[in-house]
Amino acid sequence: MATDLGELLVPYMPTIRVPRTGDRVFKSECAFSYDSPESEGGLYVCLNSFLGFGREHVERHYRKTGQSVYMHLKRHVKEKATGAAGGAIPRRRNGKVFLDLELNRDFNGDDYEYEDEAKLVIFPDHFEIPLPNIEELPALVTIACDAILNAPSPYKKQELDSWEEEIQVSKHARSLRQQENGVRIPPSGWKCAKCEMRENLWLNLTDGSVLCGKWFFDGSGGNGHALEHYRETNFPLAVKLNTITPDGADVYSFDEEEAVLDPHISEHLLHFGIDMLQMQRTENGHHTDNHVQLRVSDWEVIQEAGLKLKPVYGPGYTGIKNLGNSCYLSTTMQVLFSIPEFQRAYVGNLQRIYDYSPLDPTQDFNTQMAKLGHGLLSGQYAKPPMKSELIEQVMKEEYKQQQRGISPKMFKSLVSKGHPEFSSNRQQDAHEFFLHLINLVERNNSGSENASDVFRFIVEERVQCCQTQKVRYTQRVDYLMQLPTPLEAASNREELIAFESKRKEAEENMRPPPEPVRARIPFTACLQAFTEPENVPDFWSSALQAKSAGVKTSRFASFPEYMVVQIKKFTFGVDWVPKKLDISVDVPDFLDLNRLRATGLQAGEEELPDLTPPIVIPEDTRDSSTNNSLESPEIDESSVMQLAEMGFPLEACRKAVYYTGNMGAEMAFNWIIAHMEEPDFAEPLAIPSYMEPDLLSPSLPTTSALDNQPPEESISILTSMGFPRHHTIKALKATNNNLERALDWIFTHPDCEEETEAMSDTADTEPNDNSFSNANAHSDSSLSPDQDLSSPRVRDGPGRYELFAFISHMGTSTMSGHYVCHIKKEGRWLIYNDHKVCLSERPPKDLGYMYFYRRLSSC
């Protein structure tokens, strides 16, 4: 028999692999569904890719890859016989449980026992070989099977391999001396002290200087002023500003030249007025706060606790398990997959997406979206309990008529990959995750229908110079409407004043605080505050050609099919602690925004001149490259040496620094990665020459496209980020060669990529006077004026809407608490609270955080 099995497996031996360090083994969840070893059909693990597949999907993988050998895993869950001894679950040594899987929490370990079964299955004949079968199987197969059975969870492996585990405590942390200079860092509005950079900012922990970074691990770039400051002062430690949480922060040591840990970070930050210890860690999957004034009733009202809520089952009523502070993700996805366009784009195209998925579907966004959508909408994972199970629960007085829901581990791992916050286990802001997911939908859209277009609308911004009264109208794309909450407009203002007086009195006399009073703000007041002009920080008036006072108002140039309204309930205190305003807003079921329709330039208004502010960072080098094209170019040799030390050819490093405009080693590194396969990669730098019009060939028009060609340095910077060259040129022309605006233009015009590729054969020789001739009044815009409302991606219509869903938050901060959502389906409201889905009795519409409206069809 041993010889027979060995001979049977011989043809497949080259395809069988043993998991190595770094390989992820998916033995607990199917890549295309939520089937697991506990499912009826078990799970099939490929012995080559180590991907898991349910019975319904393993045939597809076999047909696509030709891989024939799979390990079939099945876990049987059985109730212990009467009188059976309780206690610990038997482990592998006992021969019953040998799969390294998390035990199902829906079953009590004392009342149920688990028995695991494993076997090899050879496709297409489904020949089965029971395991273990050590003596009869080839050694390689036995080792591979044993390694798969003992492999850790792929998600745990990611956590163990993360760089955070390897960071060492800085030698400067304990002895750091901080200057008593009175510096206090505000919770927002930061800017580099030596330039205009507002991103990648680092706080020096010795003197409180806020300066931009350059060559650090986040890759966002900068001008290196933080490093320059260290070289001037020898102040060694700095913390990245937007990474500060109650759990810690990203700290860098210039002296040690690496990311470090600072055990005294809370004390060092408190020295500059940043209190990071106002919140405590999580309990039972939800963040809790030490703010005693948060009503317990908030949790009860929003979750409708104390009411006998009726569970519901079936398609569209599937819950999502909480992985530990993952409710922000669950509520957002429940709402999105209640929208028909998202259902059609992913679940409606399920078979096409699955058939054309890459070899590793766990890393494909569209596949995982389709998987999640099918899991929520199929009803396959929201089946009501059998009648016999209900009777048994009643007899045991354990009546829990609730579904198990689906676990979004694979989906969360993918969509949070590389994101410093969403990849953590901390609570996050549902609003920020919504925008993050829309960005992923945009980037991964490959079909004719982009589901995120239902939220896409155009905002018209009117900026007015207060000194000259001249105006500029620009347009931008947005996906939600943020409403301010003016506390001064509260309808119970007298109660609030009285409460504040009592609170201060109780604090002075060391008595318990009074019962909090919630501010009741009319929705109309929020809408009015949205329409009010707001000051523009650092406004540069092109009429004065200097900084001046400016105000901005926003209106809707188009209305989307679905309007998302966020109530701005969160703010930062002076101690940097994010705080939630205790307010209620009487949000209406029907919303009419037509009066906020944009009108454009009005009669009697005078436009601001179309002049670009002087570019401070990066420094404009076009004149020097044009006038001194025959001279040696200026190249940042320090950046060249940084790259050369990494092993790249010296000439390639020089070209990378030159073509990225001396913007630093980080940008140049990106250029190298994008161009290292080119045949002339390591050849000496050849400076492009700029020909005068009278030197052009007589056969070319004097208005050749070369005259309007953007600087090659700018083109290289954007193409090094992976964007097509013609798309990059079009973006630069549309934005007056401004790099930052060009990057925004590219992200808001992904549909232009195919057009630019189609025109690539003629773009270099034929003039295109109509491409971006309107780069005047809208030069600051992220949209082409002649495509504003005609673009198929803008679904303009009347601004009348009906509320169909809202997400609510419980807690005092976005970094703590819990989210639930309410969705209206078939004329009735339902509450989605993690894995529990029930009919809602009293939907708390006045306590929501994000509201979702659909356009009324009969307008």
Side-chain angles (χ1 to χ4, degrees), residues 80-90 96 109-113:
K80 289 182 179 179
T82 305
I89 302 297
K96 289 186 177 182
D110 292 334
D111 297 327
Y112 292 85
E113 60 184 3

Side-chain angles (χ1 to χ4, degrees), residues 295-350:
R295 287 186 186 81
V296 176
S297 61
D298 283 358
W299 296 72
E300 296 174 350
V301 171
I302 292 176
Q303 296 185 103
E304 302 186 57
L307 300 176
K308 292 184 178 180
L309 302 180
K310 180 181 178 182
V312 289
Y313 306 91
Y317 303 126
T318 304
I320 301 179
K321 292 181 180 179
N322 195 321
L323 305 178
N325 294 316
S326 64
C327 49
Y328 66 90
L329 177 149
S330 303
T331 51
T332 302
M333 300 314 300
Q334 290 283 14
V335 173
L336 290 184
F337 275 112
S338 70
I339 296 174
E341 284 77 3
F342 274 81
Q343 296 173 0
R344 284 199 306 269
Y346 296 103
V347 184
N349 292 318
L350 185 79

Side-chain angles (χ1 to χ4, degrees), residues 29-35 51-54 56-58 60-61 64 350 353-362 364 367-368 370-372 374-375 381 410:
E29 181 181 352
C30 172
F32 293 106
S33 71
Y34 291 93
D35 288 346
L51 295 171
F53 302 97
E56 183 182 353
H57 302 284
V58 65
R60 176 190 290 106
H61 186 259
K64 177 180 287 190
L350 185 79
I353 292 174
Y354 282 3
D355 288 341
Y356 290 96
S357 64
L359 292 179
D360 186 359
T362 68
D364 182 61
T367 300
Q368 294 308 310
K371 170 184 170 179
L372 180 63
H374 179 263
Y381 306 98
M410 191 176 293

Side-chain angles (χ1 to χ4, degrees), residues 540-553:
W540 187 85
S541 172
S542 59
L544 301 173
Q545 296 193 34
K547 287 190 176 182
S548 175
V551 293
K552 179 180 70 175
T553 54

Side-chain angles (χ1 to χ4, degrees), residues 465 472 539-546 607-613:
C465 173
R472 174 181 292 120
F539 174 68
W540 187 85
S541 172
S542 59
L544 301 173
Q545 296 193 34
E607 290 188 271
L608 285 162
D610 182 31
L611 299 176
T612 304

Side-chain angles (χ1 to χ4, degrees), residues 46-120:
C46 173
L47 264 65
N48 181 268
S49 64
F50 312 120
L51 295 171
F53 302 97
R55 184 68 186 88
E56 183 182 353
H57 302 284
V58 65
E59 294 275 3
R60 176 190 290 106
H61 186 259
Y62 161 70
R63 292 193 302 269
K64 177 180 287 190
T65 65
Q67 174 62 31
S68 299
V69 184
Y70 296 81
M71 177 182 287
H72 181 254
L73 305 175
K74 182 72 175 87
R75 167 165 288 178
H76 303 276
V77 182
K78 299 183 295 183
E79 187 176 6
K80 289 182 179 179
T82 305
I89 302 297
R91 303 312 299 166
R92 183 179 178 184
R93 295 295 183 187
N94 295 19
K96 289 186 177 182
V97 176
F98 53 81
L99 292 180
D100 184 19
L101 303 176
E102 294 182 5
L103 297 180
N104 195 328
R105 297 178 182 177
D106 296 323
F107 298 103
N108 189 315
D110 292 334
D111 297 327
Y112 292 85
E113 60 184 3
Y114 297 81
E115 186 172 336
D116 294 338
E117 174 188 359
K119 56 190 174 184
L120 289 181

